[in-house]
Amino acid sequence: MNEALSGLELRSTVTSEGQLRLELIEATIEPPGPDEIVVKVEASPLNPSDLALLLGPADIETLEAGGTEERPTLTAAIPTWGMGGMKPRLDQPMPVGNEGAGTVVQTGDDVADLLGKRVGMIGGGMYAQYRKIKARDAIVLPEGASGADGASMFVNPLTALGFVETMRSEGHTAIVHLAAASNLGQMLNRICLEDGIPLVNIVRSEAQAKLLREQGAKIVLDSSQPDYEARLSAAIEETSATIAFDPISGGRQASLILSAMERAASKTLTAHSRYGSSVFKQVYIYGALDPSPTILDRWVGFSWSLGGWLLNNFLQKAGLETAARLRQRVIDELKTTFASHYTATISLAYALKPEIVRAYQRKATGEKYLIDPSL
Amino acid sequence: MNEALSGLELRSTVTSEGQLRLELIEATIEPPGPDEIVVKVEASPLNPSDLALLLGPADIETLEAGGTEERPTLTAAIPTWGMGGMKPRLDQPMPVGNEGAGTVVQTGDDVADLLGKRVGMIGGGMYAQYRKIKARDAIVLPEGASGADGASMFVNPLTALGFVETMRSEGHTAIVHLAAASNLGQMLNRICLEDGIPLVNIVRSEAQAKLLREQGAKIVLDSSQPDYEARLSAAIEETSATIAFDPISGGRQASLILSAMERAASKTLTAHSRYGSSVFKQVYIYGALDPSPTILDRWVGFSWSLGGWLLNNFLQKAGLETAARLRQRVIDELKTTFASHYTATISLAYALKPEIVRAYQRKATGEKYLIDPSL
């Protein structure tokens, strides 16, 4: 017979007075229903998408610690411009943490076989010592996989695979990827190498370029180099890439890429067309590492599109069969293609320390934090 | 038996030395082949797309007249930044004038029934006293239609109808249109009124707003007014418009529209989503009245697209059957829905006068010039 459990959970609140408030609350986890399990969470990553919910548009300069060592709180001011989009969540303590992994400690009657198994989960509220969840939202990890191995088996792997699926279904044959040294970018590189898809990796430093080259990346461009634009054009011409994925959003990168694609396409034109080539060029923005304006200032003709890309929207469009196929590939290659690397593993209480928040909030490429609520 | 004809034709040349040169040449028109006709051109509009070929990126401040009264020439300097895209047309005297209308004066054996008929044509090179063309690229005008009536029966009418087709085929139900007081915009307004499609007309002055309102437009917003953004949001909410067509390109209008659409969509959300709504929002750029950068600086979630829209690409995708249906509607409603209005009718020689070039090159909304090569 299962008994109610008690455990800490992180909550993020945006108050109507314009304050962000993070805290750890003691929650009671009632016994699971017939199709549910209770998981002792061992690992949950701090993805950029989690940070958006966790911190909102709070001004990081105003972070202020409160509470006790074990039950800390953290507050920050939210600038007026940021409050517009906050209406739907005002004064509601939101659970945070999109995905995670841990060990099943209680099971409902219909899913008793999961007891003691280590699972990966998706569904929010993972920054918690215990997470009760429908069994269908958890996947049993392969033998020998740790919580850390399974913590990031949904968002990044399915996003990287989603890029490749999108490329294929929309008729492209090669990919350009920005901020390509991220965990996601490293995965995409491994997938493309495995599947023989030409990939133009764009990074912002020599260190990041080196990291990708050491992982076998064939084309890596450093956008901080003076010859970047020429090398970008050459790489796009060589690969015939006509689709790009951009987590940065702000600035002129999408514009540069579209115009390099247009130049490459124009070289195949036999006659001058004042409307540009008819080759369709696509850039998808899937993040906002730089929230400044996206600026299109180059001539790209009329056969192009710049749009948003979101995993949930992609999965919905792709359908259940495709989603199941992609998930199976993630399980099969969990410790190879889809391995994640973490800069640091921290406790729930640590995740509320101002200096730690500043560290993970920078979203530096190649850096990624993991929360272990059992610490 | 047809004899060779002789007539003036306008040519536009960009020289490798960076000069634009316009001239009228005396051309010989050999007798038509079996499926061809020779048309005495009576009317051909100066569309923005014609201006792009006619003037290229020439610096209008440097226009210099030459030649004689009857055979004038016009030269201008092309700034260095503009020469990049000119390579494919360097040193080639290009015929200009996308569409036009006139009377058939010679026919090939297979199309003898067209002799004496007044036709509308598309295919370039219409700024000429005579145009030889395949009969299939000409359409006989309805009884009583003048050359001016038939001069603009392709580009604007098919573009306006193409917007409505695109709206329907991509699952939208209402349209936002920028620079809506143009000839094209007035047509779109008439089509939408006729078909019962909600249309948000955006113009840049009270005079333009008045013009559209007098034509029965239901929603007209003046972007120069201080309450524009609030009225835009209200209009988009009222109409549920999720697609916009923008001939301006430069600046923040597309951004404003996408974010107003996102705000309207968010109001229907029951729970907060940090990724925004899943309602798909589309802005198509179909011109570049303002060639400055397009700037996206508002939060629009991830379910959106900004792309190019080009009549030729649309027609190719839509297929022959749709194209035929749209053409038939244009013929049926040539003097009502698809009537064009012209500010001035000028001769070929006048089209090369610096002060006239400056006038039509401004592309002022509501102003449009017609060339009559028979003058």
Side-chain angles (χ1 to χ4, degrees):
Chain A
M1 198 50 201
N2 291 317
E3 286 181 2
L5 294 170
S6 173
L8 291 180
E9 300 188 356
L10 191 152
R11 291 286 186 277
S12 166
T13 310
V14 170
T15 71
S16 6
E17 285 78 36
Q19 194 185 51
L20 171 77
R21 182 183 162 84
L22 304 184
E23 64 195 322
L24 300 181
I25 62 154
E26 184 83 37
T28 300
I29 296 95
E30 298 294 338
D35 59 345
E36 292 180 322
I37 54 177
V38 175
V39 179
K40 185 166 191 295
V41 182
E42 294 158 350
S44 177
L46 275 153
N47 284 322
S49 52
D50 296 311
L51 292 179
L53 179 61
L54 184 71
L55 304 176
D59 180 355
I60 295 303
E61 302 304 313
T62 65
L63 288 177
E64 204 168 305
T68 64
E69 186 70 23
E70 273 167 24
R71 297 283 292 276
T73 63
L74 190 68
T75 54
I78 295 181
T80 315
W81 61 260
M83 288 298 288
M86 294 295 106
K87 262 183 205 158
R89 62 172 287 192
L90 279 190
D91 301 317
Q92 298 169 54
M94 312 281 289
V96 192
N98 212 23
E99 60 184 337
T103 300
V104 180
V105 293
Q106 291 185 350
T107 55
D109 289 344
D110 300 349
V111 290
D113 55 318
L114 291 176
L115 193 67
K117 294 277 195 328
R118 186 166 271 149
V119 295
M121 308 171 279
I122 187 153
M126 299 295 166
Y127 299 167
Q129 291 183 320
Y130 296 99
R131 176 68 162 89
K132 186 165 68 175
I133 198 165
K134 298 269 182 199
R136 64 156 188 264
D137 292 325
I139 296 182
V140 175
L141 299 186
E143 204 60 44
S146 68
D149 289 334
S152 298
M153 67 188 293
F154 293 93
V155 179
N156 276 345
L158 293 178
T159 299
L161 289 171
F163 290 173
V164 172
E165 289 289 315
T166 300
M167 176 204 82
R168 289 199 179 107
S169 72
E170 298 182 2
H172 307 273
T173 55
I175 294 175
V176 177
H177 190 218
L178 285 155
S182 63
N183 261 311
L184 171 61
Q186 295 174 38
M187 272 180 206
L188 182 63
N189 179 51
R190 291 192 289 268
I191 295 168
C192 287
L193 288 174
E194 215 172 295
D195 294 7
I197 297 163
L199 174 67
V200 178
N201 294 283
I202 300 174
V203 297
R204 288 171 286 186
S205 75
E206 206 30 60
Q208 293 168 350
K210 189 162 169 277
L211 184 153
L212 278 174
R213 282 200 200 93
E214 284 170 359
Q215 297 185 14
K218 290 178 181 159
I219 307 178
V220 187
L221 309 180
D222 177 355
S223 62
S224 70
Q225 293 297 309
D227 63 348
Y228 168 62
E229 285 194 41
R231 295 193 60 204
L232 178 65
S233 287
I236 283 175
E237 211 182 317
E238 180 192 334
T239 57
S240 298
T242 47
I243 189 168
F245 293 91
D246 171 15
I248 299 170
S249 179
R252 294 181 145 82
Q253 281 292 344
S255 187
L256 277 178
I257 289 168
L258 284 171
S259 60
M261 288 175 176
E262 174 62 9
R263 274 198 305 280
S266 296
K267 291 204 176 169
T268 67
L269 285 180
T270 48
H272 174 64
S273 165
R274 59 192 180 279
Y275 302 116
S277 81
S278 61
V279 173
F280 187 68
K281 301 160 288 290
Q282 173 76 57
V283 174
Y284 280 116
I285 293 179
Y286 71 93
L289 293 176
D290 175 354
S292 76
T294 308
I295 299 171
L296 287 174
D297 59 357
R298 307 297 178 104
W299 165 250
V300 292
F302 285 98
S303 189
W304 60 276
S305 169
L306 173 71
W309 194 98
L310 187 67
L311 179 58
N312 284 346
N313 295 351
F314 160 75
L315 288 173
Q316 231 160 50
K317 231 203 241 171
L320 289 176
E321 213 166 302
T322 300
R325 174 167 53 80
L326 302 186
R327 278 187 182 207
Q328 189 56 50
R329 181 164 175 187
V330 176
I331 296 167
D332 293 346
E333 307 173 20
L334 189 62
K335 295 187 84 163
T336 53
T337 313
F338 301 105
S340 285
H341 300 282
Y342 300 97
T343 315
T345 300
I346 58 176
S347 67
L348 281 173
Y350 249 65
L352 268 61
K353 280 190 183 292
E355 66 274 21
I356 303 291
V357 172
R358 282 194 198 98
Y360 60 66
Q361 178 272 346
R362 284 190 303 126
K363 302 174 202 168
T365 307
E367 281 192 17
K368 182 160 236 169
Y369 281 65
L370 192 67
I371 292 180
D372 180 349
S374 71
L375 289 180
Chain B
M1 198 52 200
N2 292 316
E3 287 182 358
L5 295 170
S6 174
L8 291 180
E9 300 188 355
L10 191 152
R11 291 286 187 276
S12 166
T13 310
V14 170
T15 71
S16 7
E17 286 79 35
Q19 194 185 52
L20 171 77
R21 183 184 162 82
L22 304 184
E23 64 196 322
L24 300 180
I25 62 155
E26 184 84 37
T28 300
I29 296 94
E30 298 293 340
D35 60 345
E36 291 181 325
I37 55 179
V38 175
V39 179
K40 186 166 189 293
V41 182
E42 295 158 349
S44 177
L46 275 153
N47 284 323
S49 53
D50 296 312
L51 293 179
L53 180 61
L54 184 70
L55 304 175
D59 179 357
I60 294 304
E61 301 304 312
T62 65
L63 287 177
E64 204 168 305
T68 65
E69 186 69 24
E70 273 168 24
R71 296 283 292 274
T73 61
L74 189 67
T75 54
I78 295 182
T80 316
W81 62 258
M83 289 298 288
M86 294 295 105
K87 262 182 205 159
R89 61 171 288 192
L90 278 189
D91 301 317
Q92 298 170 54
M94 312 281 287
V96 192
N98 211 23
E99 60 183 338
T103 300
V104 179
V105 294
Q106 291 186 351
T107 54
D109 290 344
D110 300 349
V111 290
D113 55 317
L114 291 176
L115 194 66
K117 295 278 197 325
R118 186 165 272 148
V119 295
M121 309 172 276
I122 187 154
M126 298 296 165
Y127 299 166
Q129 292 182 320
Y130 296 100
R131 177 67 162 90
K132 186 165 69 176
I133 197 165
K134 298 270 182 200
R136 65 156 187 262
D137 292 325
I139 296 183
V140 175
L141 299 186
E143 204 59 44
S146 68
D149 290 334
S152 298
M153 67 187 293
F154 294 92
V155 179
N156 277 346
L158 293 178
T159 299
L161 288 171
F163 290 172
V164 172
E165 288 290 315
T166 300
M167 176 204 81
R168 288 201 180 106
S169 72
E170 298 182 2
H172 308 273
T173 56
I175 294 176
V176 177
H177 190 218
L178 285 156
S182 63
N183 262 310
L184 171 61
Q186 295 174 37
M187 272 179 206
L188 183 62
N189 179 50
R190 290 193 289 268
I191 295 168
C192 287
L193 287 174
E194 214 172 296
D195 294 7
I197 297 164
L199 173 67
V200 178
N201 294 282
I202 300 173
V203 298
R204 288 171 286 185
S205 75
E206 206 30 60
Q208 293 168 350
K210 188 160 171 278
L211 184 152
L212 278 174
R213 281 200 201 95
E214 284 171 0
Q215 297 186 15
K218 290 180 181 159
I219 307 178
V220 187
L221 309 181
D222 177 356
S223 62
S224 71
Q225 293 299 309
D227 63 348
Y228 168 61
E229 285 193 42
R231 295 192 59 203
L232 177 65
S233 287
I236 284 174
E237 210 182 317
E238 181 192 333
T239 57
S240 297
T242 46
I243 188 167
F245 293 91
D246 171 15
I248 300 171
S249 179
R252 295 182 145 81
Q253 282 292 344
S255 186
L256 276 178
I257 289 168
L258 284 171
S259 59
M261 288 174 176
E262 174 63 9
R263 272 197 306 279
S266 297
K267 291 204 177 170
T268 67
L269 285 180
T270 49
H272 174 62
S273 164
R274 58 193 181 279
Y275 303 115
S277 82
S278 62
V279 173
F280 187 68
K281 300 161 290 288
Q282 173 77 56
V283 174
Y284 280 117
I285 293 179
Y286 71 93
L289 293 176
D290 175 354
S292 75
T294 308
I295 298 171
L296 287 174
D297 58 358
R298 306 298 178 105
W299 165 249
V300 292
F302 286 97
S303 190
W304 60 277
S305 169
L306 174 72
W309 194 98
L310 187 67
L311 178 58
N312 284 346
N313 296 351
F314 159 75
L315 287 173
Q316 234 162 46
K317 231 204 239 170
L320 289 176
E321 213 165 300
T322 300
R325 174 167 54 81
L326 301 186
R327 277 187 183 208
Q328 190 56 50
R329 181 165 176 186
V330 176
I331 295 167
D332 293 345
E333 307 173 20
L334 189 62
K335 295 186 84 162
T336 53
T337 313
F338 300 105
S340 284
H341 300 280
Y342 300 97
T343 315
T345 300
I346 58 177
S347 67
L348 280 174
Y350 250 65
L352 269 61
K353 281 190 183 291
E355 65 274 22
I356 304 291
V357 172
R358 281 194 199 97
Y360 61 66
Q361 178 272 344
R362 284 190 302 125
K363 301 174 202 167
T365 306
E367 282 193 18
K368 182 162 238 169
Y369 281 65
L370 191 67
I371 293 181
D372 180 350
S374 72
L375 289 179

